[in-house]
Each structure stands twice: as structure tokens, then as C-alpha cells.
Amino acid sequence: MPQATLLEKALGKVKEHGFKYTKKRETLLDFLIKKNRYVSAREVYNHLNEQFPGLSYDTVYRNLREFCEIGLIEDTELQGEMKFRFSCSESFEHHHHFICTVCGMTKEIHMCPMDFFKEQLDDCSIEGHRFELYGRCEKCQNVNE
């Protein structure tokens, strides 16, 4: 899907969930769409602060968290730091990832292992889960850290 269409769809979801449109929110989403990988909140903040001097880090982080809650943005802890990316699912549906530990490239995994676990936990109520695989993508397999 073209980046402009993704941005329009994302802004529609923002409005649908009761958030007002701001140029800062649009710029935040556009940055994540263009990056197409996990980035730190600091990277997002640095980019936004260039265009909106004086913007607080807390505001950026709060927006990232709120957009995670409505499924626009995905988060993960990578190498001890929270990272964020625009949802790689065009329909913002549940999915899992392989994440390159060198470049941050992400591949969507098109299956969910929860059926296996549900069978073993049939007397429990599962409220959420996360499944991510970490390693090196094809380009980074020979890169020395």
C-alpha cells in the first residue's frame, strides 16, 4: 500500500478513536511509516523536535503509547529499550514478527502459536501474549557487531 494511503488510513483510525488531528501526530505517523522498522522513542522525538522545537519528550512518548493501544503502532523491547514501529499489518490485525537485531528489519510471521498453548492451559484465561523471533536478516548475517 502506498505510504500516503497508509497515512490517510492511520489518520482515519486516530479520528475514529477520538483523538484530534494535529500536524505533530501526522508527522509522527509519517516518520514511522517511512522508517518501516522499530525505532526508539528518542529517534521519534529527535525527528519531531527538528520540526516542532520545544516539543516535550513526554508528549511524544504518550502519543506512541496511545497509538499502541489502538493498534496503529507496535512496540517491543529490543536490547533493553522500548522500540516502536508503524503496524506492518495493513488492517492493523494481530500478528507476530521476526526482528533483525542488527538493522531492525522486521518480517511479519503469518501464524500464531497460541492454539498450542491454549490446549495446555484450558483451565486458564489468557489475557494477552507476544511472540517475537530475533536474529539476523539475510543482509546482516555476516556483519560483525
Side-chain angles (χ1 to χ4, degrees):
M1 183 179 291
Q3 289 179 352
T5 305
L6 277 177
L7 183 57
E8 288 174 24
K9 192 173 182 180
L11 291 171
K13 191 165 177 84
V14 167
K15 184 177 180 182
E16 174 185 312
H17 281 84
F19 295 98
K20 70 177 188 173
Y21 167 84
T22 68
K23 187 65 177 167
K24 292 172 190 167
R25 287 182 171 145
E26 179 180 346
T27 304
L28 181 151
L29 291 168
D30 187 54
F31 175 74
L32 291 174
I33 290 168
K34 288 177 179 169
K35 283 294 181 186
N36 195 30
R37 64 177 174 81
Y38 280 102
V39 297
S40 69
R42 180 65 55 191
E43 286 178 77
V44 177
Y45 168 76
N46 289 341
H47 175 76
L48 289 174
N49 200 42
E50 288 175 9
Q51 296 178 46
F52 306 100
L55 178 67
S56 82
Y57 180 81
D58 289 343
T59 297
V60 172
Y61 199 84
R62 185 183 70 252
N63 276 274
L64 289 169
R65 298 293 335 143
E66 289 172 342
F67 290 167
C68 284
E69 289 173 14
I70 64 172
L72 273 178
I73 293 177
E74 301 165 358
D75 65 345
T76 192
E77 187 175 329
L78 191 57
Q79 299 166 335
E81 181 179 20
M82 286 306 297
K83 303 272 183 147
F84 303 89
R85 68 164 285 136
F86 188 78
S87 177
C88 60
S89 170
E90 290 182 7
S91 58
F92 308 114
E93 293 177 347
H94 175 78
H95 61 282
H96 301 285
H97 300 112
F98 166 85
I99 304 168
C100 180
T101 57
V102 177
C103 71
M105 181 280 302
T106 306
K107 283 189 178 183
E108 189 173 347
I109 298 172
H110 297 283
M111 60 84 60
C112 181
M114 283 310 294
D115 291 336
F116 172 78
F117 296 111
K118 285 179 185 176
E119 291 173 9
Q120 296 182 38
L121 301 167
D122 62 353
D123 58 340
C124 298
S125 172
I126 299 168
E127 296 178 354
H129 71 279
R130 180 179 299 252
F131 182 75
E132 296 171 329
L133 298 173
Y134 303 96
R136 291 177 180 232
C137 69
E138 186 177 309
K139 292 181 199 171
C140 295
Q141 286 184 30
N142 296 321
V143 174
N144 295 327
E145 291 187 62

